[in-house]
Amino acid sequence: MSLSRTDFGFRGRFRAMASPCELLIASCDERLALNLTQAAIKECQRLEQKYSRFLTGNWLWQLNLSAGAPVMLDSEAAALLQFAKRCWQLSEGLFDITAGPLLALWCFEKGKDSETSLPSSTDIKKALSRVGFQHLKFSSHFDDRAEDTSPQEITEPPWIMLPEAMQLDFGGLVKEYAADRVAELCMIRAAATEVLVNLGGDIAVSGKKCWQVGIEDPANLDRAAELMSLDVGALATSGDSRRFIEHQGRRFGHILDPRSGYPVQDAPHSVTVKAASCITAGMLATLAMLKGAAAEDFLKVQQLEHRIIR
């Protein structure tokens, strides 16, 4: 972790969820800036420890190895699963957190541009047989009471049954959820202080300051293609500029179509969406990527500010 002074206050930098992260804090109070940054790190570490599919022994690891046995859900996990179910329903199966077996086949690495072999069609077909949110079973306490697309509190903890060999992957939700959680913590701890939370490009703000956020240029990484203003809510970006593989001169982005098992065809290089919460913005950005050539038409219907780079 590092904390440095800026012309607007302080910048706290740290790394979490395999991403560079930062808090931009519009305050001259160094102790406050330090406390907010430490709280952000603690919350990001908590969520990563709980939901990362790359860690052994954590809650998600235990769930993925439960082999059909019922696993109790706390209110947070139940709310995230409820949100994931709603995403799956609204996307007609395109947004599916059960795609873990498919993701395990594809060796995507950030910025990798050397030749990589592709999974065999046989392996993909086998993995597809273990994908599908409809195969999950929940207790009667798990319902669809959430009318909007944001996690809701559930008063009676339900359970989930994950069929043997199926795997959940919260990678498309948790970093965005973490940005919302950190922004909420900043509001609770320092309501009068403007803070921008940036978790690897997933951004949420606390306060009333209007921030200028750069949208990364996929053709020139670490440089902004354009700027978006953000004074309330959040924005999230989905794209293939840092996670892809190349095979026989063809580039494959990391967004997989759960129906075919292969990367989405004709997807944009980058989609950025502004919404009331980062988890909603992230879901819509990912879903736009999944729409491929129809990304622009899909986001136009949502009537939310967005940027698409092809």
Side-chain angles (χ1 to χ4, degrees), residues 1 3 12-14 23 25 32-41:
M1 184 203 110
L3 188 68
R13 287 194 172 110
F14 58 97
L23 257 62
I25 305 160
L32 174 64
L34 178 62
N35 289 340
L36 291 179
T37 304
Q38 290 175 335
I41 293 171

Side-chain angles (χ1 to χ4, degrees), residues 168-215:
L168 301 188
D169 177 16
F170 285 88
L173 297 175
V174 169
K175 188 151 63 69
E176 294 85 349
Y177 174 64
D180 289 330
R181 285 285 300 136
V182 172
E184 181 182 353
L185 288 174
C186 290
M187 178 64 73
I188 293 171
R189 290 170 177 251
T193 301
E194 288 89 3
V195 180
L196 180 143
V197 180
N198 179 7
L199 305 184
D202 293 322
I203 296 171
V205 296
S206 171
K208 299 179 180 180
K209 179 180 173 65
C210 184
W211 302 88
Q212 296 300 309
V213 179
I215 307 302

Side-chain angles (χ1 to χ4, degrees), residues 93-116:
L94 277 177
F95 194 108
D96 195 334
I97 66 168
T98 72
L102 285 172
L103 293 168
L105 292 178
W106 292 84
C107 185
F108 295 109
E109 297 181 19
K110 294 185 178 181
K112 185 175 180 61
D113 52 17
S114 59
E115 187 69 12
T116 304

Side-chain angles (χ1 to χ4, degrees), residues 41 84 102 112 124 207-209 211 220 228 251 256-257 261-262 287 296 306:
I41 293 171
L102 285 172
K112 185 175 180 61
I124 289 176
K208 299 179 180 180
K209 179 180 173 65
W211 302 88
N220 195 353
M228 287 182 71
R251 181 182 174 117
L256 300 180
D257 186 330
Y262 287 88
L287 189 48
E296 286 84 355
H306 63 274

Side-chain angles (χ1 to χ4, degrees), residues 16-258:
M17 303 179 180
S19 302
C21 305
E22 65 179 358
L23 257 62
L24 305 183
I25 305 160
S27 170
C28 296
D29 187 335
E30 184 173 1
R31 181 178 292 275
L32 174 64
L34 178 62
N35 289 340
L36 291 179
T37 304
Q38 290 175 335
I41 293 171
K42 184 177 180 179
E43 181 66 1
C44 289
Q45 289 177 339
R46 179 187 74 82
L47 293 170
E48 185 171 13
Q49 286 294 322
K50 184 176 180 179
Y51 295 108
S52 173
R53 69 181 176 95
F54 299 105
L55 300 177
T56 58
N58 67 353
W59 174 82
L60 182 58
W61 180 85
Q62 294 174 20
L63 175 61
N64 283 340
L65 293 180
S66 59
V71 175
M72 296 299 294
L73 300 171
D74 61 27
S75 59
E76 180 182 76
L80 282 171
L81 280 165
Q82 192 180 63
F83 180 79
K85 182 178 181 180
R86 187 66 172 155
C87 293
W88 173 73
Q89 291 171 329
L90 291 173
S91 68
E92 299 181 332
L94 277 177
F95 194 108
D96 195 334
I97 66 168
T98 72
L102 285 172
L103 293 168
L105 292 178
W106 292 84
C107 185
F108 295 109
E109 297 181 19
K110 294 185 178 181
K112 185 175 180 61
D113 52 17
S114 59
E115 187 69 12
T116 304
S117 60
L118 303 185
S120 70
S121 58
T122 300
D123 287 341
I124 289 176
K125 185 176 180 180
K126 183 178 179 181
L128 282 171
S129 69
R130 296 183 277 128
V131 172
F133 201 98
Q134 70 274 17
H135 300 309
L136 305 183
K137 296 181 180 179
F138 300 93
S139 65
S140 59
H141 296 314
F142 188 94
D143 56 33
D144 293 321
R145 285 175 290 177
E147 295 296 328
D148 59 355
T149 51
S150 61
Q152 303 293 307
E153 282 296 316
I154 298 174
T155 56
E156 298 181 69
W159 50 256
I160 180 177
M161 288 178 61
L162 187 65
E164 188 171 4
M166 287 190 70
Q167 298 177 31
L168 301 188
D169 177 16
F170 285 88
L173 297 175
V174 169
K175 188 151 63 69
E176 294 85 349
Y177 174 64
D180 289 330
R181 285 285 300 136
V182 172
E184 181 182 353
L185 288 174
C186 290
M187 178 64 73
I188 293 171
R189 290 170 177 251
T193 301
E194 288 89 3
V195 180
L196 180 143
V197 180
N198 179 7
L199 305 184
D202 293 322
I203 296 171
V205 296
S206 171
K208 299 179 180 180
K209 179 180 173 65
C210 184
W211 302 88
Q212 296 300 309
V213 179
I215 307 302
E216 187 175 65
D217 184 351
N220 195 353
L221 299 182
D222 298 320
R223 295 184 67 89
E226 56 181 302
L227 298 176
M228 287 182 71
S229 298
L230 184 66
D231 59 355
V232 65
L235 62 83
T237 299
S238 182
D240 67 1
S241 60
R242 293 183 179 271
R243 293 191 64 198
F244 62 90
I245 59 176
E246 290 189 347
H247 179 72
Q248 296 180 353
R250 184 179 175 188
R251 181 182 174 117
F252 294 84
H254 77 286
I255 304 294
L256 300 180
D257 186 330

